[in-house]
Amino acid sequence: MNPVAFVLGRWLFGGCCFCKATPFQLSRPVNHLYLYSNRYSHNSSRRASLGRRNISLAPIIMAAYREEPSNFIVKNRSRFLKYFSDTKDISLATNIDVLVKEDLEKYLESQSSSLRAWLHSNSFVPCKGKETNWIAVPSENFPGKIEKLVVVLGDGSSFGGCRWMGFACLPTGAPAGLYKLGFVSEKVVEQGFTSTRAAFAWALGAYTFPIYKGTSGGKDNSVVSERTPDPAFLPVLIWPSDCDRSLVESCASATFLVRDMISTPAEDMGPAAVENTARLLAEEYPGATVRSVIDEALIKENFPQIYMVGRGASNRNRARLIELVAGEPNQPTVCLLGKGVSFDSGGLDIKSASGMRLMKKDMGGAAHALGVASMILSSKLPIHLRVIISAVENAVDGESYRPGDIIKARNGLTTEVCNTDAEGRLILADALVYGCEFSPQLIVDFATLTGAARVALGTDVAVFFSNNDQFAEKLGEAAFQVDDPVWRLPLYSGYRSQLDSKLADLKNIGEGSAGGYGGAILAALYLKEFVSCSIPWIHFDIMAYNVASKPGKPEGGEAMGMRAVFRLLQSKYGSASHPGMI
């Protein structure tokens, strides 16, 4: 079927389409309109809206003739494996010698005169130790072959002092060939470099986002992670013998999943696609289940704020609560929550064009929740896991919720909507109340919630809040151990009065004398109203996006605080069989 004719035909004829078999036929949306008009005959305005929205589906389903990206994302989240080899024959592998600038002079003393001459002739002088520098040294005995790579790690300033991440520059920079770790200086080890971290950095350095790159981008959803590593076309690293391979695969796969989900355009990562991603992920782990509560069923099951925020979206992007459950009920319960706003126009308080440009990333919290879930499930941590995602599109429509509306949350608290662009906290509120009903030992929510958090700490450091000092301290320790920067901001009660409303229990933003200052704190204080005091809670307010490229951290979607949370759970619920960390 010609896709252009398909779309044009549906646009011209509303509920009609062209195809080879039948040149003209009625499509299902018209029949739906008839059914809806009978069902909602008591409400003419609602009936008109439903009819319009069903007919308008016809011209906009552009994905009808292309593959579902969520299939590719889940199936291929381990595609970095093609940059690794598990061969035992290392005779043909090229050594990678790793050192820091302070080691270079001493290192050269132990090397051949030809190697020293090569470095000198190429003016190989690492620039002030800020960036990682490497050079390929040709073989004397085998022309055209590389004897070794000499890698001088930078000072890690681009990564907050994390020097080992500089190793990530090699998969996209080094010549194609088979490599293995060779000499690693003591000072490099002192700086936290391990074979496990080297492999993880190598995996992150191999990341690309190929889904939309023409015919070579993987649109056929082939599982590229299972392709045989080919050193003739790629730099391929032999897995180090003392590397925790399962941990590297778990962490890297989760990171690829998160990056892919966030970078996918909103057209292809709406609420239904987020749900599909969760379902595909759950299928890989025995016993994991997924359920969803969609559109008006949200009212019946008492998730009113999720429904109200997503009410203005098209039927294809209907609001939903997505719940993934795994593990044994007798195990400690941990709830992971994610803000899943597939696109945030700001609603009727519409954003500017520049403010909307990256709003495909507003489902980054949902991606992080699934990423942590992936790490937990693949490592088989003894946790009864419950992932709860509020998935909506904050769209502009005649059905959109309005400034001044008063809406009721799952726990009965009412909120006066002062700004429809502060929607994330509204949908998270219902999810938090629901999560507390299971009396978990810990609730962690992830959300791309406020610009104020980015103003406070920039784009690289994950802001978090907590109502429990012990868990907050443990999270800080875990983040330091795995070089995943997070920073705690206070739930300062002195600002709580800014959320008071004369008409409802709360307002969704602070107004008045503070002039909008402390926006991240105010958002966290709003969420705190929906968390049972006795339940430890950690709230992440994250950027979830790299605005510029660095080795291993290309521009686009990014995982933040995820490894820190996993390390926290690993240290609390793991055992001797789960000792590793990155």
Side-chain angles (χ1 to χ4, degrees), residues 53 309-315 317-319 392-395 397 400:
R53 286 168 65 186
V309 171
R311 193 176 64 180
S314 67
N315 280 7
N317 291 321
R318 290 178 295 171
V392 303
E393 180 184 8
N394 190 18
D397 183 85
S400 299

Side-chain angles (χ1 to χ4, degrees), residues 23 31 94 142 164 183 236 267 284 395 460 500 532 567 578:
N31 295 330
T94 300
F142 302 96
W164 57 269
F183 170 79
V236 175
E267 172 72 8
E284 297 184 1
D460 289 352
D500 289 340
S532 300
R567 178 57 187 162
H578 303 95

Side-chain angles (χ1 to χ4, degrees), residues 35 72 80-81 89 127 163 217 262 328 365 375 378 466 476 499 545 558:
L35 294 175
F72 175 91
F80 57 86
L81 289 176
D89 183 8
C127 301
R163 301 186 78 165
I262 296 171
E328 300 299 327
M375 297 168 74
S378 62
S466 182
L499 298 176
Y545 206 86
E558 185 57 279

Side-chain angles (χ1 to χ4, degrees), residues 261-277:
M261 288 185 69
I262 296 171
S263 294
T264 298
E267 172 72 8
D268 292 335
M269 191 48 68
V274 174
E275 178 184 340
N276 189 48
T277 303

Side-chain angles (χ1 to χ4, degrees), residues 377-498:
L377 294 173
S378 62
S379 63
K380 298 181 181 179
L381 280 182
I383 289 174
H384 183 232
L385 178 65
R386 193 172 293 271
V387 179
I388 303 169
I389 293 171
S390 307
V392 303
E393 180 184 8
N394 190 18
V396 178
D397 183 85
E399 289 290 306
S400 299
Y401 78 123
R402 298 162 288 265
D405 282 352
I406 295 177
I407 57 180
K408 182 183 289 187
R410 183 177 179 85
N411 64 351
L413 287 178
T414 56
T415 297
E416 180 184 3
V417 178
C418 296
N419 193 310
T420 61
D421 196 19
E423 83 296 334
R425 64 203 70 183
L426 298 176
I427 64 174
L428 278 175
D430 277 351
L432 283 168
V433 175
Y434 182 57
C436 288
E437 293 170 8
F438 299 97
S439 301
Q441 291 193 4
L442 176 65
I443 292 179
V444 182
D445 78 69
F446 293 91
T448 51
L449 206 61
T450 68
R454 254 61 69 215
V455 171
L457 296 185
T459 59
D460 289 352
V461 182
V463 169
F464 81 94
F465 299 82
S466 182
N467 64 352
N468 186 287
D469 291 338
Q470 183 180 1
F471 270 98
E473 183 177 346
K474 293 292 185 183
L475 177 61
E477 292 174 1
F480 178 77
Q481 291 171 354
V482 298
D483 289 315
D484 191 11
V486 304
W487 196 263
R488 186 184 187 187
L489 291 184
L491 286 164
Y492 179 58
S493 60
Y495 295 159
R496 171 58 184 80
S497 60
Q498 295 180 46

